[in-house]
Amino acid sequence: MASTADRGRFAEIVVIRHGETCWNASRIVQGHLNSELNEIGRQQAIAVAGRLSKEPKFQAIYSSDLKRAAETANIIAKICNLPEVILDPGLRERHLGDIQGLTLRDAAKLKPEAYKIFLSRKRDGEIPGGGESPDQVNERCVSCLEKIASKHQGERVIVLTHGGVLRELHKHAVSGRSSDGMIHNTAVNVFLISESGNWTIKTWGDISHLHEIGVLNNAFGGDRTSG
């Protein structure tokens, strides 16, 4: 893995976090559970779709099969006149085991072991209740994006996913360094992945399309405790 993409052919993959959900706003841990976009989330999806519709042509759109990402992807696909969204479970958020469906405050009281592992920095820490470790998420989502890139060399595609996945993709692209700050809902992040597997980050965390709608800075997800 290198820090710059080859000068030859590469796939340009625009990776976007889903729009805001009611659970984001209520600071509930989502993980693999389904939650719907709220009205702000739908407005965010329309805004990012309008932005993307003005860019050079995209060949395909992929999405996590979780409802919040798929709903965002369908809005984008319609406005950008793209074919049917390709759903891929490899793009799902980290499975957060026993703390899914709880606020962090409740998780600390009701599931202290799972909560402790969730907040730890241990890369191999699997959360009780079927949860994944950060290393497992990294392997899953990096493999998924590289498969997409291999199908679209010389093309541009859109991918809808989640905050935790985006952090792992960033970590892979920059050789293990973590991203600082919040990854906001519908933030635009652009990865270039070459035929030889080299990654470059072209754009990171761009929310210029949200200047009229805004973002919820205290929502759950998008930071180090994504889910």
Side-chain angles (χ1 to χ4, degrees):
M1 183 175 64
S3 60
T4 57
D6 292 348
R7 292 183 180 274
R9 284 161 58 84
F10 57 82
E12 182 168 342
I13 306 181
V14 179
V15 187
I16 300 168
R17 186 182 175 211
H18 61 81
E20 183 181 301
T21 69
C22 295
W23 283 22
N24 286 145
S26 300
R27 298 188 58 78
I28 295 172
V29 179
Q30 296 172 116
H32 279 198
L33 298 183
N34 273 315
S35 55
E36 297 183 357
L37 299 184
N38 59 20
E39 183 55 36
I40 291 174
R42 285 186 283 272
Q43 291 176 17
Q44 291 170 336
I46 292 168
V48 73
R51 168 185 173 161
L52 296 173
S53 71
K54 298 179 179 70
E55 295 188 4
K57 182 176 175 60
F58 293 95
Q59 297 299 316
I61 181 166
Y62 293 80
S63 177
S64 157
D65 61 346
L66 295 176
K67 190 169 186 178
R68 56 194 184 274
E71 186 178 352
T72 308
N74 284 324
I75 291 170
I76 293 171
K78 183 177 180 180
I79 292 174
C80 293
N81 196 29
L82 287 166
E84 185 176 356
V85 175
I86 302 167
L87 299 179
D88 192 329
L91 295 167
R92 286 185 176 191
E93 181 59 280
R94 179 184 177 188
H95 193 303
L96 295 171
D98 285 341
I99 66 170
Q100 293 185 158
L102 302 174
T103 64
L104 283 184
R105 177 175 295 181
D106 287 343
K109 297 176 182 176
L110 301 174
K111 300 290 182 180
E113 181 186 357
Y115 175 78
K116 181 179 179 180
I117 294 172
F118 174 61
L119 292 186
S120 79
R121 293 182 178 271
K122 292 182 178 180
R123 297 289 304 170
D124 61 351
E126 296 181 32
I127 301 174
E132 295 175 287
S133 71
D135 280 344
Q136 289 171 330
V137 179
N138 187 286
E139 182 178 355
R140 166 167 62 80
C141 67
V142 167
S143 174
C144 184
L145 209 67
E146 288 186 333
K147 287 177 183 176
I148 292 171
S150 71
K151 295 178 183 177
H152 295 284
Q153 289 296 306
E155 298 176 344
R156 306 180 76 230
V157 297
I158 300 169
V159 167
L160 270 293
T161 189
H162 307 267
V165 168
L166 271 159
R167 289 195 169 278
E168 294 302 323
L169 296 176
H170 183 282
K171 183 182 287 290
H172 180 82
V174 298
S175 302
R177 286 186 286 117
S178 296
S179 168
D180 294 326
M182 174 76 77
I183 303 169
H184 290 289
N185 294 106
T186 71
V188 172
N189 312 276
V190 182
F191 295 84
L192 308 180
I193 304 180
S194 73
E195 288 181 303
S196 59
N198 291 328
W199 290 47
T200 284
I201 297 177
K202 180 181 178 182
T203 303
W204 183 254
D206 187 346
I207 54 171
S208 56
H209 53 283
L210 297 179
H211 65 280
E212 293 182 358
I213 300 169
V215 293
L216 192 60
N217 288 310
N218 66 344
F220 179 77
D223 59 6
R224 190 176 69 82
T225 58
S226 258

